[in-house]
Amino acid sequence: MAVSALELRPRNAVALMDAALRLCTRNAGVWALTLPGGAAVVAAMLYLAESVRMGWPLVVPSLLLTLAWFLRGLGQGATCHYVQELLLGTQGEPSAWASLKAALGRMPALFIAVAYLLGLNTLVVMVTGGLGYILLQSHGVGYAAVMQGRGSPLKLYGTCSRLLGPARGTALWVRVLMSVQVLAFFNLHIAFNFLLFLGRKLVGVDLTFAERFASLDNGQWLIFLAVTTFALFEPVRAATATLLLVDGRVRQEGLDLLASVQQLPSRDLGRPLPPPGATRGAAMLAVVLGLGLLTAAPAHAQDTEDAKPLAPAEALRRLGEVTEACEASMDEDTAGLYAPLESLGPAEAVKLDRFVRRVERQAFDEEDCDKARATLTQGLTTMGATVDAQARADARAAAARAKDILARPEFAEAAPKAEKDAPEPAVPPETPGWWQRFIDWLGAQLKKLFEREPAEPRQETAQPFLTGASLANVLVVVLVTLTLAVLGVVLLRALNRDKRRAGAEGVQVSTVDASTLAGDAHHALSRPPEGWAHLADELAARGAYREAVRSLYLALLSRLHRDGAILYDETLSNWDYLSQFRGRAEWKAPFRELTRRFDFAWYGNLPVGVDGYREFRALTEPLLAAPARPEVAGA
């Protein structure tokens, strides 16, 4: 299956994190799909913390947190699908609605993955003290793997490990780099306190209680910062998970295979080739042998199918017929050799059948009684030795079984009773091992953690009309309301992006002076599109097809820049131009195909012939020959 050039280079952990951050900062779709679940988790966690502090029943807060967590898993699956379509474009133009529909189609599997990952992470953190959460890294791409429909959700860890392949080490370092959330946690705390400081100094509002609430010794404030930081990094998690799966696919199917092929030794061109006659003779011999095997196979299969084990009585009868046919008195020498035939087991029936057929063939078909007599004597001697070996093996098995039976407790001899007067030796207490000591320590810590402190008796005092707790509740409600408002704005912007793009005016494009770029042969704007196309034809006429393909692609970039479809910049890659494409909708598919072919030809060093150049020219011609749009004034 063909893949885009974006996948043809394995990335390290730093490059993947950088790509994920740039994707999240430049695209509003990932925020529109992850913010609902993140906001729901923040609100449910604050409600649960407040219920614990006030001593309210925890049934409803726990249920709301569970529903919020499942909503978060649905958003993660939709975001992974959106990022995959944004990178690979397998189903056309990516959109938030299409990704949300795809996640709803896989909702049962996503919910199973949510429960699986929550249970696995909880178990790993409790058993390993948090160390295994970093070492076991494959399940970090669980939602992206579920959206690809690979494997069973109940075997999610194995499926993720198989999809990552050699990229499991990269996933470990990506998880280590995600510890940057600690810095984001403290940055949020510092930024909020700085805003309070500005409000107090510039506006003159008394925010003493708000500053006291937003302090690190307040548990509710720490919970708010933790869940907010977690929600803000939700798009990065989905983007890195999808990029890791793409990186694992690249490492398994991309450049690693190409590098292995390139490292193979080249064929010795000086070795003489076989003569044509010898080659034809060998080919005819292979055909004849193949036809012979094909014709003999059915008969052999039929013989094998019809063959049945031979009974010892039937074997004795047929061997007796052979003896009579040879007109020899073989009873004197071989009478004692016939006795072991009755003791042969079912496993030896096939061998006995082959032996009887061999003796009959020598006696009747070949009419060689001496040879048949010798074969009969030798075979009967071998069968006798086989029967003796089986008897010895059966005897050893019976003895071993008897020993096992006698070794049972009911057959053991009773130990002599010790004298009553003799004091029993004191057994020193066994020192517990390190594992038991660790389990005891962990149990004591968990007991201390979940034990409630005895409530102090409260004194009934007159409550003021405006208290600090009421202000804190109002502050929490305001923060949640602002979060929901920002979420609504981002959702509207993401879902109405296509409408704004359709109603937008022409793109303002600023070009560089042509005289400045005249000497730069690598800049697409140094020539007009017609100049690049003419240069491509000249290069193709000289046989330089790779350079001709590059000139045609530069002509295409120059044309798209002049029409305002892209903003040409030497610091951007070809796929950046594709992701920022603002031209005609029918041009995007051929532009994507031309970009893929150019990357394979120019950066992948694939050979380009005259047919490849003609195909590239045929794809480029409609875009270059289309009527140009009037350039924006001032461009």
Side-chain angles (χ1 to χ4, degrees):
M1 182 178 67
V3 296
S4 64
L6 181 65
E7 302 175 47
L8 289 181
R9 185 173 73 255
R11 308 291 183 94
N12 54 22
V14 177
L16 286 178
M17 281 293 294
D18 178 70
L21 290 173
R22 286 191 291 111
L23 189 146
C24 294
T25 54
R26 296 180 181 181
N27 197 284
V30 292
W31 292 95
L33 292 172
T34 53
L35 275 181
V41 171
V42 171
M45 196 67 189
L46 292 177
Y47 183 37
L48 179 62
E50 183 66 13
S51 300
V52 172
R53 189 181 71 86
M54 299 299 295
W56 297 339
L58 302 180
V59 177
V60 176
S62 302
L63 179 60
L64 292 178
L65 181 59
T66 304
L67 294 178
W69 198 259
F70 278 100
L71 178 62
R72 178 246 177 193
L74 188 66
Q76 281 284 305
T79 308
C80 292
H81 181 272
Y82 180 83
V83 173
Q84 180 178 354
E85 291 301 318
L86 190 65
L87 293 177
L88 306 182
T90 57
Q91 298 179 2
E93 184 71 14
S95 65
W97 278 119
S99 299
L100 184 59
K101 292 179 181 178
L104 291 175
R106 296 191 177 274
M107 186 168 60
L110 284 175
F111 284 175
I112 294 175
V114 169
Y116 181 95
L117 294 176
L118 182 61
L120 178 61
N121 289 328
T122 304
L123 182 63
V124 167
V125 171
M126 292 181 62
V127 173
T128 65
L131 182 61
Y133 183 76
I134 298 178
L135 298 180
L136 300 177
Q137 72 287 344
S138 296
H139 59 284
V141 299
Y143 296 114
V146 169
M147 289 306 297
Q148 291 189 5
R150 306 286 186 89
S152 172
L154 299 178
K155 301 178 181 179
L156 189 58
Y157 193 88
T159 303
C160 296
S161 300
R162 185 177 68 254
L163 292 179
L164 283 175
R168 287 191 294 270
T170 308
L172 171 63
W173 288 108
V174 166
R175 176 156 289 186
V176 173
L177 291 177
M178 288 296 289
S179 60
V180 73
Q181 296 175 85
V182 179
L183 297 178
F185 175 92
F186 288 105
N187 285 335
L188 283 177
H189 172 72
I190 294 171
F192 192 85
N193 280 273
F194 180 73
L195 291 177
L196 293 178
F197 174 80
L198 290 181
R200 187 183 61 188
K201 294 296 184 181
L202 298 180
V203 185
V205 181
D206 187 11
L207 300 174
T208 305
F209 182 78
E211 291 177 350
R212 179 66 186 88
F213 177 78
S215 59
L216 293 179
D217 57 350
N218 186 7
Q220 288 183 315
W221 174 249
L222 294 179
I223 292 175
F224 172 77
L225 286 181
V227 295
T228 304
T229 305
F230 180 86
L232 290 177
F233 273 81
E234 286 290 86
V236 182
R237 290 187 187 88
T240 52
T242 307
L243 289 173
L244 279 171
L245 286 186
V246 173
D247 187 71
R249 176 183 167 191
V250 170
R251 292 177 185 272
Q252 297 182 57
E253 303 176 1
L255 288 183
D256 291 348
L257 179 60
L258 180 61
S260 301
V261 173
Q262 291 178 349
Q263 291 176 1
L264 294 176
S266 59
R267 186 177 64 181
D268 189 6
L269 299 178
R271 182 182 301 172
L273 297 175
T279 305
R280 290 193 297 270
M284 292 298 296
L285 179 60
V287 171
V288 171
L289 291 177
L291 292 176
L293 290 175
L294 291 175
T295 54
H300 177 71
Q302 185 68 25
D303 294 339
T304 305
E305 183 178 359
D306 296 340
K308 295 181 180 179
L310 185 63
E314 180 67 16
L316 286 175
R317 184 186 64 78
R318 293 169 62 175
L319 289 177
E321 293 177 358
V322 171
T323 304
E324 294 177 359
C326 289
E327 297 179 355
S329 178
M330 299 173 61
D331 295 337
E332 298 178 358
D333 301 331
T334 61
L337 299 178
Y338 282 97
L341 293 180
E342 299 291 341
S343 302
L344 290 177
E348 306 295 333
V350 177
K351 298 179 181 179
L352 178 62
D353 181 70
R354 289 201 299 265
F355 170 69
V356 172
R357 290 176 183 272
R358 181 181 178 187
V359 173
E360 289 178 344
R361 184 175 68 254
Q362 292 175 352
F364 298 134
D365 298 342
E366 300 178 4
E367 297 181 356
D368 190 350
C369 289
D370 294 337
K371 187 175 181 181
R373 186 184 300 108
T375 302
L376 179 62
T377 304
Q378 182 181 1
L380 292 176
T381 303
T382 304
M383 290 182 186
T386 301
V387 171
D388 293 340
Q390 289 179 353
R392 287 193 296 271
D394 294 341
R396 287 194 297 269
R401 188 169 182 272
K403 290 181 180 179
D404 292 339
I405 294 175
L406 292 177
R408 294 176 182 176
E410 56 266 24
F411 297 104
E413 296 182 359
K417 296 183 179 180
E419 298 181 1
K420 296 183 179 180
D421 298 336
E424 296 182 357
V427 179
E430 184 179 357
T431 304
W434 65 271
W435 178 252
Q436 185 63 35
R437 294 197 302 271
F438 172 75
I439 293 298
D440 295 340
W441 174 83
L442 183 60
Q445 296 298 324
L446 292 176
K447 185 177 180 181
K448 292 180 182 180
L449 179 63
F450 290 104
E451 279 184 351
R452 291 188 177 182
E453 298 180 357
E456 298 181 357
R458 298 183 180 180
Q459 297 181 358
E460 295 295 335
T461 57
Q463 297 291 336
F465 177 73
L466 187 61
T467 62
S470 60
L471 287 177
N473 293 331
V474 171
L475 181 60
V476 170
V477 172
V478 170
L479 291 176
V480 173
T481 305
L482 290 177
T483 303
L484 293 177
V486 173
L487 171 63
V489 173
V490 173
L491 281 172
L492 291 176
R493 293 185 60 187
L495 298 178
N496 296 330
R497 181 182 56 184
D498 296 336
K499 296 181 180 179
R500 293 200 311 271
R501 182 185 303 171
E505 296 295 333
V507 181
Q508 296 292 335
V509 180
S510 60
T511 58
V512 185
D513 187 6
S515 60
T516 307
L517 302 174
D520 190 358
H522 300 284
H523 202 285
L525 305 183
S526 61
R527 297 171 183 260
E530 297 80 7
W532 284 115
H534 182 69
L535 178 61
D537 294 336
E538 292 180 355
L539 292 172
R542 295 199 299 266
Y545 295 111
R546 287 183 67 250
E547 290 76 5
V549 166
R550 176 180 175 273
S551 297
L552 280 179
Y553 191 76
L554 291 177
L556 177 61
L557 293 181
S558 178
R559 172 59 191 276
L560 295 177
H561 176 81
R562 290 171 179 267
D563 284 357
I566 63 172
L567 178 60
Y568 183 78
D569 189 352
E570 289 182 322
T571 60
L572 299 178
S573 66
N574 299 333
W575 295 96
D576 289 335
Y577 296 140
L578 184 63
S579 63
Q580 300 173 4
F581 187 77
R582 297 295 183 272
R584 306 176 187 177
E586 64 272 12
W587 283 11
K588 189 163 187 179
F591 184 36
R592 184 192 302 274
E593 179 65 19
L594 290 170
T595 303
R596 186 183 71 83
R597 294 195 179 197
F598 171 71
D599 280 1
F600 272 101
W602 189 254
Y603 298 110
N605 292 325
L606 294 181
V608 180
V610 60
D611 295 334
Y613 172 73
R614 288 175 180 174
E615 293 179 1
F616 198 89
R617 178 71 174 178
L619 288 174
T620 314
E621 187 65 29
L623 278 69
L624 297 178
R629 292 182 177 179
E631 195 169 4
V632 181

